[in-house]
Amino acid sequence: MTAATRYRLAARLSVNGGSYSWNPHAVASTAVALPNPGGATPAITSLNALTLQDDLLALGYAWGASNQNIPICGGTAPLQNAYFVQNIGTADPAAQYRVLGCGLVAAPLLAYAATGQAGYYLDTQGSGGTYLRPVDFGAGPFVPGTQSVAQFPVQAGLTDIGVDPRGEVAAIARDSAVLAAGAVAAVPVADVQAPAAQPHAGQGTRIGLLGNPVAVAASPSGAFLVLEQANARVQAFDASGNPVPLFAGQPSFALQAATQPVYRDIAVSGDGLVYVLGSQNGGTAPSDFSSIYTIPTAPRSAGRPASMRLGSPSRRTTACSHLISMR
């Protein structure tokens, strides 16, 4: 991975008569924002999650839509503004196709481990708490569960979640700058018996605190990486909320200065590459997502800094991201 590395469009998911397929001849989208939903026509209102279970070749995503008139999950009352989750296979779409046949009243969060076979969604509907429930991979309906492997306070206001395949979970609350982390139960249990994640961090600029956290992801080493908007950095924590010196002996690294930067998401591949999604100048044009620079990261075999790229969402690239290596 170098500054010259480019990602190119390989295929685009298409649907025809209810059947999904990966179209290798499709043209990349040039859209940078959702259209104004408005009116009585069903329309997508939000894009809430995107996660990959690489070992099982499963892609999970969640979104919100208006004018749905679909039964609420766990009841029969029709829901107009609803949220959904869906799985699709990255090799054979039908092999991992799962769709939710009911609507959720709150935006769900998805977190699939990059390796192994772990995958979870955060059920935000309950009045007594917010529960992390396992995803049953394979073809068939996506059925909301009644057991969980971890729980968070209902008032936490969680906005993103990351899962370590070795059995730990971390979630962030953007408004309160809280990192909630803890162990995942080995098997699903009743909600009241699920392990409770503990709150850490808080608002601030020093190491160990967070400034407007945007996203969190687990690394292969077990550290949780938090992307911070206000502090323009990525910071590493363990499941007890302690900073981890993951980047050349430091627990954080600064992101490149930009005009009107907006940091959107972070992900870590199974081999340790970190992807940071962001834009500048308001993110209204594809060119707002492009920048190349180099920073020092955790030492590699030669002890040299790794290159990072913030790609442009055009026909030549499929992601707008910084890339760093922790190998």
Side-chain angles (χ1 to χ4, degrees):
M1 185 67 65
T2 71
T5 301
R6 298 293 184 272
Y7 283 83
R8 298 178 183 273
L9 178 67
R12 186 173 178 177
L13 188 63
S14 301
V15 59
N16 184 14
S19 297
Y20 288 84
S21 63
W22 290 104
N23 182 358
H25 306 296
V27 176
S29 172
T30 58
V32 295
L34 290 174
N36 187 345
T41 302
I44 293 176
T45 55
S46 62
L47 303 175
N48 302 111
L50 181 68
T51 183
L52 178 66
Q53 221 303 334
D54 208 15
D55 285 359
L56 295 177
L57 303 177
L59 181 70
Y61 44 99
W63 72 99
S66 62
N67 303 303
Q68 295 300 293
N69 196 32
I70 190 171
I72 186 174
C73 291
T76 58
L79 194 61
Q80 297 302 320
N81 296 314
Y83 295 90
F84 304 91
V85 292
Q86 185 166 303
N87 268 5
I88 206 79
T90 57
D92 175 10
Q96 289 288 354
Y97 178 64
R98 283 184 175 271
V99 63
L100 187 65
C102 56
L104 300 171
V105 297
L109 300 177
L110 287 172
Y112 296 172
T115 59
Q117 298 189 359
Y120 306 95
Y121 73 97
L122 195 66
D123 185 350
T124 56
Q125 292 206 122
S127 58
T130 301
Y131 300 102
L132 188 68
R133 307 194 189 279
V135 171
D136 184 12
F137 291 100
F142 200 124
V143 181
T146 57
Q147 293 184 311
S148 55
V149 294
Q151 62 175 304
F152 301 85
V154 69
Q155 70 274 17
L158 303 178
T159 49
D160 197 26
I161 189 167
V163 174
D164 174 10
R166 295 176 298 181
E168 294 175 324
V169 61
I172 54 154
R174 185 166 187 169
D175 290 343
S176 60
V178 165
L179 173 71
V184 173
V187 295
V189 296
D191 288 343
V192 295
Q193 298 174 340
Q198 300 301 311
H200 306 284
Q203 197 74 243
T205 59
R206 68 174 175 82
I207 294 299
L209 299 179
L210 299 171
N212 196 5
V214 175
V216 60
S219 74
S221 66
F224 291 99
L225 308 188
V226 181
L227 175 64
E228 302 176 59
Q229 175 69 44
N231 294 331
R233 69 185 179 190
V234 172
Q235 191 173 179
F237 294 86
D238 63 19
S240 297
N242 301 308
V244 178
L246 194 63
F247 309 106
Q250 299 298 318
S252 69
F253 70 84
L255 298 172
Q256 182 189 30
T259 303
Q260 295 180 291
V262 177
Y263 305 115
R264 303 172 187 272
D265 205 357
I266 187 169
V268 187
S269 68
D271 59 355
L273 289 176
V274 179
Y275 295 73
V276 176
L277 177 68
S279 65
Q280 59 185 350
N281 299 320
T284 57
S287 59
D288 292 341
F289 294 80
S290 182
S291 179
I292 301 175
Y293 64 100
T294 300
I295 65 163
T297 63
R300 304 180 70 173
S301 58
R304 295 180 298 178
S307 296
M308 301 177 66
R309 170 166 174 80
L310 178 59
S312 170
S314 65
R315 186 174 179 80
R316 291 183 57 82
T317 62
T318 59
C320 33
S321 60
H322 302 283
L323 301 182
I324 71 169
S325 174
M326 300 185 300
R327 292 173 292 178

